[in-house]
């Protein structure tokens, strides 16, 4: 009787351990997945806000910058492509690429508007540009949070023992939402020869000696002041042999 009780206890412990290996990780994966979906919804809201602002911006620019017809057509085309891929679903590499191109195109359009003084002075354009800038900031903040949640979720999916539950219940790795900005990846060009060098000081590699002002060698502090001791000057020699 005692041996049977021990066996039952061992079996119960093994069952509890087995359940712990599945129930805990499974619940954790569910929580992370829900957090992930909520984080993406915040990004999606801001992306849709940008979709709504772009047509108004294009119409405003069209009234002043007729020469930018091709640029405006490209922006509308990218906006429509991005909207077709938007169905509330999680992001894909294709959508990330389209959204990245759209961000660059809108930014370039606003920069191009600097060449049109009347457009810059238009109150409607300024308001739309400000709203788009604020929207881009919110997209960036929401995207950073979403990508952080993706990292935690993917780590859970791949780690033991949660990966056992992930494989059993088909928890797939999530995709990051990356918006590539070539300007951010560009290496800044720094001319060290122009940093920390003033006038009168030789720059490395310039091949020119430093410029020295008169009196600078013997008196680098400044011109002599009243009361300073002056070196006596020798009298000029007479040409008549020194006879008066």
């Amino acid at each position: 009787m005692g041996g049977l009780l021990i066996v039952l206890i061992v079996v119960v412990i093994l069952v509890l351990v087995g359940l712990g290996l599945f129930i805990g990780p499974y619940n954790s994966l569910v929580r992370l997945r829900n957090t992930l979906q909520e984080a993406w919804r915040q990004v999606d809201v801001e992306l849709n806000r940008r979709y709504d602002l772009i047509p108004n911006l294009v119409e405003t620019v069209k009234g002043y910058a007729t020469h930018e017809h091709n640029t405006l057509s490209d922006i509308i085309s990218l906006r429509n492509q991005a909207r077709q891929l938007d169905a509330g679903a999680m992001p894909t590499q294709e959508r990330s690429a389209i959204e990245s191109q759209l961000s660059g195109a809108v930014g370039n359009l606003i920069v191009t508007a600097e060449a049109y003084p009347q457009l810059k002075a238009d109150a409607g354009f300024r308001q739309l540009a400000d709203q788009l800038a604020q929207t881009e900031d919110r997209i960036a903040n929401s995207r950073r949070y979403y990508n952080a949640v993706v990292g935690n979720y993917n780590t859970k999916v791949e780690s033991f023992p949660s990966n056992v539950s992930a494989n059993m219940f088909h928890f797939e790795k999530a995709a990051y939402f990356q918006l590539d900005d070539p300007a951010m990846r560009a290496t800044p060009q720094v001319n060290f020869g122009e940093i920390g060098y003033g006038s009168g000081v030789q720059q490395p590699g310039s091949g020119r000696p430093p410029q020295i002002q008169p009196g600078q060698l013997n008196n680098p502090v400044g011109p002599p002041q009243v009361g300073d001791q002056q070196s006596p000057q020798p009298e000029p020699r007479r040409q008549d042999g020194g006879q008066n």
Side-chain angles (χ1 to χ4, degrees):
M1 184 68 181
L4 180 61
L5 181 60
I6 293 175
V7 171
L8 289 175
I9 292 174
V10 172
V11 171
V12 169
I13 291 175
L14 291 175
V15 170
L16 291 176
V17 171
L19 290 175
L21 291 175
F22 289 98
I23 295 176
Y26 174 81
N27 290 337
S28 180
L29 285 167
V30 170
R31 285 193 297 270
L32 278 173
R33 184 175 62 186
N34 291 339
T35 303
L36 184 68
Q37 292 172 349
E38 178 61 28
W40 172 248
R41 279 193 289 270
Q42 295 299 320
V43 178
D44 197 53
V45 166
E46 299 303 332
L47 291 175
N48 278 279
R49 175 176 173 79
R50 183 169 68 177
Y51 299 154
D52 294 337
L53 290 172
I54 285 175
N56 294 331
L57 178 71
V58 168
E59 288 300 320
T60 302
V61 174
K62 188 185 299 183
Y64 294 93
T66 56
H67 293 77
E68 305 298 334
H69 176 74
N70 292 335
T71 301
L72 300 176
S73 298
D74 291 342
I75 291 176
I76 291 297
S77 177
L78 289 170
R79 180 256 188 191
N80 293 339
Q81 292 181 53
R83 191 135 212 183
Q84 288 176 359
L85 296 172
D86 172 34
M90 304 303 287
T92 61
Q93 292 184 352
E94 182 182 6
R95 185 174 182 187
S96 296
I98 294 296
E99 295 290 354
S100 180
Q101 295 178 46
L102 183 58
S103 294
V106 172
N108 290 336
L109 178 62
I110 293 177
V111 171
T112 302
E114 298 292 326
Y116 300 90
Q118 292 182 343
L119 176 59
K120 285 176 56 180
D122 186 88
F125 172 79
R126 293 199 305 269
Q127 182 179 5
L128 286 170
D130 289 342
Q131 290 177 354
L132 274 169
Q134 295 171 10
T135 301
E136 291 291 345
D137 289 341
R138 287 194 292 268
I139 290 174
N141 293 332
S142 301
R143 180 173 59 86
R144 281 192 291 268
Y145 174 68
Y146 167 79
N147 286 337
V149 177
V150 169
N152 295 333
Y153 173 79
N154 288 346
T155 300
K156 196 75 174 178
V157 169
E158 294 180 312
S159 301
F160 181 83
S162 55
N163 62 339
V164 177
S165 297
N167 293 331
M168 183 177 295
F169 297 101
H170 306 291
F171 284 88
E172 302 292 340
K173 290 179 63 176
Y176 289 95
F177 185 56
Q178 303 289 355
L179 295 182
D180 295 331
D181 186 358
M184 296 297 293
R185 296 197 306 268
T187 303
Q189 300 297 322
V190 180
N191 186 356
F192 291 98
E194 297 178 358
I195 299 178
Y197 295 97
S199 61
V201 182
Q202 183 179 7
Q203 299 183 12
S206 63
R208 297 172 56 187
Q211 300 296 321
I212 301 174
Q213 302 299 325
Q216 186 176 351
L217 284 175
N218 295 328
N219 189 10
V221 177
Q225 304 298 323
V226 177
D228 290 350
Q229 296 294 329
Q230 302 293 328
S231 300
Q233 300 296 326
E235 295 182 357
R237 297 179 59 183
R238 302 178 58 180
Q239 301 298 328
D240 57 359
Q243 296 179 357
N244 292 330

